[in-house]
Amino acid sequence: LRATTAPSNKMKIKRNRYSFLRRHVFVLSLFPYLLVGGLISTPFVVSPLSKQQQRESQLFASVSSTASCDIVRVDLADGRDYPIYIGTEFSPQDNSRLLAQHVQGTKVLIITNTKLRDLGYLDTYQASLTNQVNSKGKKIELVETLVLPDGEEYKNMEVMGRILDKALELGLDRKATFVALGGGVIGDMVGFAAAIYQRGINFIQIPTTVMAMVDSSVGGKTGVNHELGKNMIGAFHQPQCVFIDTNSLSTLPDREMCSGIAEIIKYGLIRDAEFFCWLEDNLDKLLARDPVAFRYAVKRSCENKAEVVKADEKEADVRATLNLGHTFGHAIENGSGYGTWLHGEAVAIGTCMASSMSARMKWIDESLLKRIYDIMIKAKLPVDIPPDSPMNLEKFLKLMSVDKKVADGQLRLILLKGPLGNCVFTGDFDEDAMKTTIEEFVAECAGVA
């Protein structure tokens, strides 16, 4: 493997506590391999890798020399941890080696959307799994496919039901594996279908959008939308692995690419100040689709997400902080009609609303608020609700009242507090500041009578 090095940058803020831990955990993880290679002569005691981790490492080491790769692990209890493979220039043989080891049965159903089918991705991955040897040493005998319509407006029970229909028609059993090939909509629906089909079967995530790579494919949150609320029907169901080939971003429309960058920015705001500074310095490279910069941004985002999921898998506490801007953003998506906004666009506006509210309560400095607006605008993301929007204060409050973070009738928000890289998940905020912020953002909207 070629070593991956983060693009150089001038950091203005000292590394947060997670950077220190991440650096030392990475160094310690190298010792087993250095010992095997005879590069360290002094005896050193290390924890043995599990059989699954050994198999993953051996196969990962066999990836073609043209590929540049990283592994980020999502560590969970009860042996449910899994790898996130991040790379470029994967060969068909690489796809086969890395994916087939996470298939336990002999039957696979790949689900994708019309766009990716037409771009040839479905054929590529179907060929990569056909006749390969699974994790049990058996031949994968069946690799079927299902193509669903593309778009947030199709993320519902009816369309998700087509996955279950197909699985039943094929007679798939509990050893079968679903493969989600696509963005967040496909990943969420396939994951949910896997969670409830025969009370739970395995699935693999192959995200093809920035949004899915850095957020929705990692952590096991699955589900569909309801007309009364976004992602209100779903389950926590972890994948067997996440396979990220950043080359797929070459066919991603600019609007969708920018939408995903909103989620990357989020990590810097809530917990990784150094990363936010790197984004300020390197955003132009991301917009230009620089492969080294993008792979670094995806890896850093996945590391942040994996750490949070390890600490709080079921979103009882700290994981909720990953939803910065989402309570406002989900209300915008639903109230405007699913499909009007891309998820990241609505989250960008929601993040500006949450940040403005935080500044209004004197929880963050105005200088930080300006930096947030500046980076969103530079990323070509919306920061205001347009005049033709149907949103108003009453609609916001109604939709936010059914948000998943409401507990015992109390709305809880993720807000920024303190220096860059810090936030709180709380119901203890100034409600008037929230209403004033909403009124400020909808003042010129058509929905305001």
Side-chain angles (χ1 to χ4, degrees), residues 29 54 69 127 130 143 147 170-171 219 264 268 288 335 357 425 433-434 438 443:
S29 70
Q54 289 174 11
C69 319
T130 300
V143 183
V147 179
L170 293 170
I264 296 177
M357 179 178 166
F425 173 40
M434 179 185 73
I438 295 173

Side-chain angles (χ1 to χ4, degrees), residues 72-140:
V72 174
R73 293 203 67 83
V74 181
D75 293 320
L76 299 171
D78 305 323
R80 295 176 299 115
D81 55 304
Y82 57 91
I84 307 169
Y85 302 114
I86 306 167
T88 54
E89 305 297 339
F90 284 120
S91 70
Q93 292 75 23
D94 296 333
N95 296 344
S96 299
R97 292 191 190 100
L98 294 175
L99 291 172
Q101 65 171 318
H102 296 286
V103 175
Q104 294 184 7
T106 60
K107 297 180 180 180
V108 174
L109 176 59
I110 304 176
I111 302 96
T112 192
N113 60 39
T114 52
K115 282 186 179 180
L116 292 173
R117 175 201 60 193
D118 295 344
L119 288 169
Y121 288 103
L122 181 58
D123 291 340
T124 295
Y125 284 101
Q126 184 178 22
S128 293
L129 285 168
T130 300
N131 294 324
Q132 296 302 311
V133 176
N134 68 13
S135 63
K136 306 298 183 182
K138 295 182 179 180
K139 182 180 177 181
I140 299 175

Side-chain angles (χ1 to χ4, degrees), residues 134-412:
N134 68 13
S135 63
K136 306 298 183 182
K138 295 182 179 180
K139 182 180 177 181
I140 299 175
E141 299 172 350
L142 178 71
V143 183
E144 278 284 348
T145 65
L146 175 65
V147 179
L148 300 177
D150 178 58
E152 186 77 25
E153 61 269 34
Y154 299 108
K155 186 181 172 181
N156 54 50
M157 289 290 288
E158 180 183 356
V159 175
M160 190 274 295
R162 299 183 197 177
I163 303 172
L164 304 178
D165 292 342
K166 183 72 172 182
L168 289 167
E169 290 168 4
L170 293 170
L172 300 186
D173 58 26
R174 286 181 173 175
K175 294 287 187 180
T177 297
F178 289 169
V179 176
L181 174 61
V185 172
I186 287 292
D188 282 6
M189 288 200 295
V190 173
F192 186 36
I196 62 177
Y197 183 70
Q198 298 196 10
R199 296 187 174 92
I201 67 170
N202 292 338
F203 83 109
I204 291 171
Q205 289 271 21
I206 306 180
T208 58
T209 66
V210 179
M211 175 69 64
M213 290 177 183
V214 304
D215 186 57
S216 62
S217 69
V218 179
K221 288 174 71 172
T222 72
V224 295
N225 298 331
H226 188 278
E227 62 181 10
L228 297 180
K230 183 176 172 66
N231 293 331
M232 294 301 291
I233 304 170
F236 288 96
H237 190 56
Q238 300 291 346
Q240 294 299 296
C241 76
V242 180
F243 183 82
I244 299 175
D245 184 347
T246 55
N247 272 2
S248 63
L249 299 180
S250 64
T251 57
L252 190 68
D254 288 343
R255 184 185 174 195
E256 289 193 41
M257 181 189 69
C258 293
S259 173
I261 290 175
E263 293 283 4
I264 296 177
I265 293 170
K266 168 194 71 180
Y267 292 113
L269 289 173
I270 64 171
R271 69 190 312 269
D272 196 343
E274 180 189 28
F275 187 34
F276 186 86
C277 295
W278 181 89
L279 288 168
E280 288 180 312
D281 292 340
N282 292 275
L283 191 58
D284 287 337
K285 293 180 181 179
L286 296 184
L287 294 175
R289 303 178 190 241
D290 178 88
V292 175
F294 238 118
R295 197 174 73 250
Y296 174 71
V298 170
K299 179 175 181 284
R300 187 74 170 250
S301 298
C302 288
E303 287 171 339
N304 274 291
K305 182 73 177 278
E307 288 175 357
V308 173
V309 171
K310 178 182 179 180
D312 179 23
E313 181 184 356
K314 298 294 182 69
E315 201 172 280
D317 186 20
V318 67
R319 184 168 180 177
T321 62
L322 296 173
N323 291 305
L324 173 68
H326 285 56
T327 302
F328 294 112
H330 286 172
I332 294 170
E333 283 187 87
N334 190 350
S336 303
Y338 292 125
T340 302
W341 293 99
L342 295 177
H343 176 64
E345 293 173 334
V347 166
I349 299 173
T351 298
C352 289
M353 294 180 73
S355 303
S356 296
M357 179 178 166
S358 298
R360 179 169 274 110
M361 295 188 297
K362 308 298 182 185
W363 286 8
I364 63 171
D365 294 336
E366 289 291 335
S367 59
L368 177 54
L369 181 63
K370 181 180 184 303
R371 290 173 70 184
I372 294 168
Y373 268 81
D374 286 347
I375 197 169
M376 292 293 187
I377 292 170
K378 188 176 180 180
K380 302 179 182 179
L381 288 163
V383 295
D384 295 303
I385 303 175
D388 61 352
S389 171
M391 298 303 295
N392 54 45
L393 175 61
E394 291 70 29
K395 182 171 285 191
F396 257 110
L397 295 178
K398 179 180 179 181
L399 291 170
M400 291 167 67
S401 70
V402 295
D403 185 84
K404 295 185 295 298
K405 292 176 289 298
V406 171
D408 297 325
Q410 182 183 35
L411 175 63
R412 297 179 295 172

